[in-house]
Amino acid sequence: MKQPELFSQKPKPVLAHRCELGEGPVWDNHTGSLIWVDILGGTIHEFDVATGKHHHIKTQALVGAVALCTNGHLLAALDTRLEWIHRDSGKRKLLTALEHIPDGIRFNDGKCDPAGRFWIGTMPLSEDRPIGALYCLGPDGDCKEQLRGITISNGLAWNAAGTTMYYIDTPTRAVQAFDFHPETGALTNRRIAFGIPESEGFPDGMTIDSEDKLWIAHWGGWQVARWDPETGRKLGAFPLPAAQITSCSFGGPEGEDLYITSASKGLTLGELEKQPLAGSLFVVKNSGFRGRPANRFAFEPKFDTP
């Protein structure tokens, strides 16, 4: 297949549905479907690319993120609880809940590391105080705090070697890097990999491609951009017809389609008229870049017959 001219494609909406706060896209390479959430709508969405079927699960909670489990079901961060969700029936089972945390906290972005641990951050509903944290959930169900003093915990990514973790606390306008120890999940050597200029918007969700370059969704920046974490150089971007871009993930049969979530949260009627696709799920088909399969949580929940 002839590769497209890089960054020449125009992102297109996947389906006629708009989220208030779309987030957390993850591609399931076993089923050929894209899963994402509407945090404020309390909904987990799934779109089967081959059939066009759009399935959703209402959680009656603020759903910060979901992860695939090794048996194909879902691990969901709901309010301040972590629950298993049966993918077909929507049946739920509590795994653990955060304790001894400040009021007005919810889970936000989360992702599995290469060893199958689930990393999930929190943030204040007010979005203005550093009282959030970053947690790591192991296969034993033990959820341990790893970082504190976080305001809006967001994007997570690991390099191909599994030795570096990248992390975004959105108001800092920076991507942090850590030496990552795959055997234990320990973080050391915390540092700023690079900053995001104010003109680019705020860094939000993030993924990484097969060349270990970071793809960052820019809230207020109308774009998803590719960044070199070693040099801090912006390598290119896909402009979008919405300002509040929240996250991105590679998918498709060859991992070359870039899926992008967005939000309509807080937009005025005038802004919505100018951004009628705000809150949509977008895709850049055959983007010219390739991602890696999503890591799965290394624990298999047992459900009774739904």
Side-chain angles (χ1 to χ4, degrees), residues 2 4 7 13 39 56-57 67 74 79 101 118 123 145 158-160 171-172 187 253 262:
K2 183 180 178 180
F7 300 106
I39 295 177
H56 66 273
I57 298 171
L74 301 176
D79 292 330
I101 57 173
F118 184 55
M123 59 174 283
E145 183 184 271
W158 288 262
N159 67 347
T172 67
L187 303 176
S262 66

Side-chain angles (χ1 to χ4, degrees), residues 260-287:
I260 303 162
T261 51
S262 66
S264 58
K265 169 193 171 186
L267 296 179
T268 66
L269 288 177
E271 289 169 331
L272 286 170
E273 287 178 358
K274 295 177 181 178
Q275 305 175 47
L277 295 176
S280 296
L281 171 71
F282 298 92
V283 65
V284 180
K285 288 283 190 178
N286 189 25
S287 67

Side-chain angles (χ1 to χ4, degrees), residues 26-34 68 87 251-253 255 292-294 296:
V26 58
W27 175 261
D28 187 343
N29 60 331
H30 294 176
T31 63
S33 59
L34 195 282
L68 296 168
R87 194 140 157 199
R292 299 196 297 268
R296 294 172 182 255

Side-chain angles (χ1 to χ4, degrees), residues 20-281:
E20 187 174 359
L21 184 52
E23 257 286 7
V26 58
W27 175 261
D28 187 343
N29 60 331
H30 294 176
T31 63
S33 59
L34 195 282
I35 301 169
W36 74 107
V37 303
D38 184 349
I39 295 177
L40 300 181
T43 307
I44 299 169
H45 293 273
E46 181 169 358
F47 181 74
D48 187 307
V49 171
T51 66
K53 180 181 178 182
H54 177 206
H55 171 67
H56 66 273
I57 298 171
K58 297 291 290 185
T59 68
Q60 311 301 322
L62 297 175
V63 51
V66 293
L68 296 168
C69 298
T70 50
N71 70 346
H73 292 301
L74 301 176
L75 173 63
L78 306 176
D79 292 330
T80 55
R81 310 183 307 279
L82 294 170
E83 298 188 7
W84 307 120
I85 296 188
H86 192 282
R87 194 140 157 199
D88 299 319
S89 68
K91 186 174 182 178
R92 291 156 55 177
K93 185 176 182 180
L94 179 66
L95 173 61
T96 189
L98 296 182
E99 298 178 345
H100 311 300
I101 57 173
D103 292 335
I105 288 285
R106 70 165 175 85
F107 278 127
N108 200 38
D109 207 354
K111 197 169 289 185
C112 288
D113 70 23
R117 308 174 192 91
F118 184 55
W119 293 73
I120 180 74
T122 59
M123 59 174 283
L125 296 173
S126 61
E127 303 182 5
D128 61 357
R129 293 180 293 159
I131 58 174
L134 180 67
Y135 298 86
C136 180
L137 175 71
D140 58 0
D142 192 10
C143 190
K144 296 180 179 178
E145 183 184 271
Q146 304 295 318
L147 301 173
R148 59 177 57 183
I150 306 300
T151 301
I152 302 178
S153 186
N154 252 315
L156 289 154
W158 288 262
N159 67 347
T163 55
T164 301
M165 187 184 90
Y166 299 102
Y167 175 61
I168 291 172
D169 179 4
T170 290
T172 67
R173 294 187 186 272
V175 176
Q176 300 178 47
F178 298 82
D179 290 345
F180 185 76
H181 301 266
E183 298 82 6
T184 63
L187 303 176
T188 57
N189 190 24
R190 184 177 186 175
R191 57 201 182 273
I192 299 297
F194 60 96
I196 303 293
E198 185 174 350
S199 60
E200 301 283 359
F202 286 95
D204 201 312
M206 169 171 65
T207 192
I208 196 165
D209 65 24
S210 60
E211 299 176 353
D212 277 349
K213 301 299 186 287
L214 296 175
W215 290 79
I216 298 174
H218 291 248
W219 179 277
W222 303 78
Q223 63 178 320
V224 165
R226 188 181 194 230
W227 295 82
D228 185 332
E230 298 297 326
T231 65
R233 186 164 68 95
K234 183 182 178 182
L235 304 174
F238 287 112
L240 285 123
Q244 297 174 165
I245 307 305
T246 56
S247 194
C248 54
S249 178
F250 284 96
E254 304 299 326
E256 295 180 346
D257 300 336
L258 182 65
Y259 287 91
I260 303 162
T261 51
S262 66
S264 58
K265 169 193 171 186
L267 296 179
T268 66
L269 288 177
E271 289 169 331
L272 286 170
E273 287 178 358
K274 295 177 181 178
Q275 305 175 47
L277 295 176
S280 296
L281 171 71

